Amino acid sequence: KPNDKFHRTARVLEEWHIPYFEKTPFHQIDELKMREFRKWQDEKFGEPLAASTIRKHHSMMRKVFKEAVLLKYIKKGDIPEMEVVTAKDFQQRASFTQDEYRKILTAAYDAALEPCDKRSLAANKLLPLYMEFCVRTGVRSGTETENILWKHITTETHQNEKFLMCNIVKGKTTKYTGVRKIVLDDKLRGVIASIKQLHLNECKPDQLVFGVSQNQLGRKLAKLLHKLDMYQDDNGNAFSLYSLRHSYI
């Protein structure tokens, strides 16, 4: 029947998902790709999609991922988290523009060169690397980042190509979705190498990657923002450490 569930699903995938993800390998579709897809949907539709529509679209995409697992294109743990993110949600958290982010990142790297006590120096040197990691992966500051151990940074091979991966084992949604895998891009290879240098390249498997408290990093970022006279985005939302997640580039 032309109106049965299968044909409805096919029409939705042909209209939305295939045009956007057509040239993207399954293993590269992560949570951030899905969030970018959501923004694109609203732009294409001309107005924000309803939460109920988003849920239906995510349900259909999950079926595609399950089929990909059966065909061994990806593993079950590679299926990304798919949040029901509406236009309202995009506006609730402050995000940095690329120019704002570059300005803050430059200030963070400059601060890392300033003389200070040993405890502050560790946080100052880690902050710009932490910022790079959060912005380029979209991980949540807090529970997700503070539970990343060196054994969670791995190398995997897909179709004869090696990828640097990060396993998110604890966070807001992992109890429902399980371990979430994130592909680390080429830029982050250098970031990971720099973090290792901060540990004098003595990184034990059960050692924390970010060995400075999130509160301390948050205070360091707040101090930089105050120095730069940057307090909120164009929507009036206050900047914070969590803004890094919403400033994916």
Side-chain angles (χ1 to χ4, degrees):
K1 297 179 181 180
N3 293 321
D4 64 13
K5 192 173 183 179
F6 174 81
H7 285 87
R8 289 199 300 272
T9 299
R11 283 199 300 270
V12 168
L13 294 175
E14 289 172 354
E15 180 180 0
W16 296 101
H17 301 76
I18 292 177
Y20 190 84
F21 293 114
E22 184 177 15
K23 297 182 180 180
T24 306
F26 275 112
H27 65 271
Q28 291 183 12
I29 303 177
D30 55 16
E31 180 185 344
L32 286 170
K33 291 284 187 184
M34 291 303 300
R35 290 181 68 87
E36 290 299 308
F37 169 66
R38 273 291 306 113
K39 292 181 180 180
W40 174 81
Q41 280 187 304
D42 287 347
E43 292 172 1
K44 179 181 177 182
F45 191 60
E47 61 182 80
L49 292 181
S52 59
T53 300
I54 298 170
R55 290 191 187 93
K56 290 178 182 177
H57 287 193
H58 283 350
S59 176
M60 295 171 184
M61 191 60 175
R62 287 190 187 95
K63 292 178 181 178
V64 174
F65 277 114
K66 288 180 180 178
E67 187 68 19
V69 171
L70 290 175
L71 295 173
K72 300 187 184 304
Y73 291 133
I74 58 173
K75 298 177 182 178
K76 189 175 181 180
D78 295 332
I79 298 177
E81 173 187 350
M82 284 176 263
E83 299 175 325
V84 180
V85 182
T86 63
K88 180 180 178 181
D89 294 322
F90 284 129
Q91 297 172 357
Q92 287 178 341
R93 296 280 189 176
S95 61
F96 302 115
T97 64
Q98 288 200 15
D99 287 341
E100 288 172 336
Y101 174 68
R102 281 193 288 266
K103 185 176 181 180
I104 299 164
L105 185 64
T106 298
Y109 275 114
D110 289 344
L113 300 176
E114 296 175 359
C116 57
D117 62 82
K118 186 176 180 180
R119 184 168 180 270
S120 294
L121 183 62
N124 286 349
K125 287 185 175 295
L126 182 63
L127 179 60
L129 301 172
Y130 179 89
M131 291 171 61
E132 292 268 50
F133 187 89
C134 291
V135 165
R136 303 189 79 86
T137 62
V139 297
R140 294 178 174 87
S141 298
T143 305
E144 289 192 349
T145 51
E146 67 189 4
N147 283 284
I148 300 175
L149 306 178
W150 282 109
K151 66 182 179 183
H152 299 144
I153 306 294
T154 62
T155 300
E156 295 187 11
T157 301
H158 293 275
Q159 298 180 349
N160 297 321
E161 187 175 356
K162 290 186 177 181
F163 294 90
L164 189 64
M165 311 288 293
C166 177
N167 295 324
I168 304 300
V169 299
K170 188 174 181 180
K172 180 180 178 181
T173 61
T174 50
K175 66 178 180 180
Y176 305 110
T177 62
V179 175
R180 189 169 85 255
K181 291 188 176 183
I182 296 175
V183 178
L184 304 184
D185 63 19
D186 291 339
K187 175 69 175 179
L188 285 176
R189 290 179 182 272
V191 169
I192 294 299
S194 295
I195 296 175
K196 286 183 176 180
Q197 289 179 4
L198 295 182
H199 292 285
L200 302 178
N201 290 316
E202 297 178 359
C203 305
K204 298 179 180 179
D206 291 319
Q207 183 179 351
L208 292 171
V209 172
F210 302 108
V212 175
S213 75
Q214 305 296 304
N215 287 338
Q216 189 176 3
L217 291 172
R219 289 194 296 271
K220 292 292 182 182
L221 179 61
K223 185 177 180 180
L224 282 179
L225 292 171
H226 179 75
K227 184 177 180 180
L228 296 170
D229 196 28
M230 295 172 61
Y231 302 98
Q232 60 188 28
D233 65 9
D234 291 339
N235 295 315
N237 301 306
F239 288 131
S240 69
L241 205 62
Y242 207 90
S243 300
L244 298 168
R245 165 178 164 78
H246 295 275
S247 308
Y248 172 67
I249 58 174

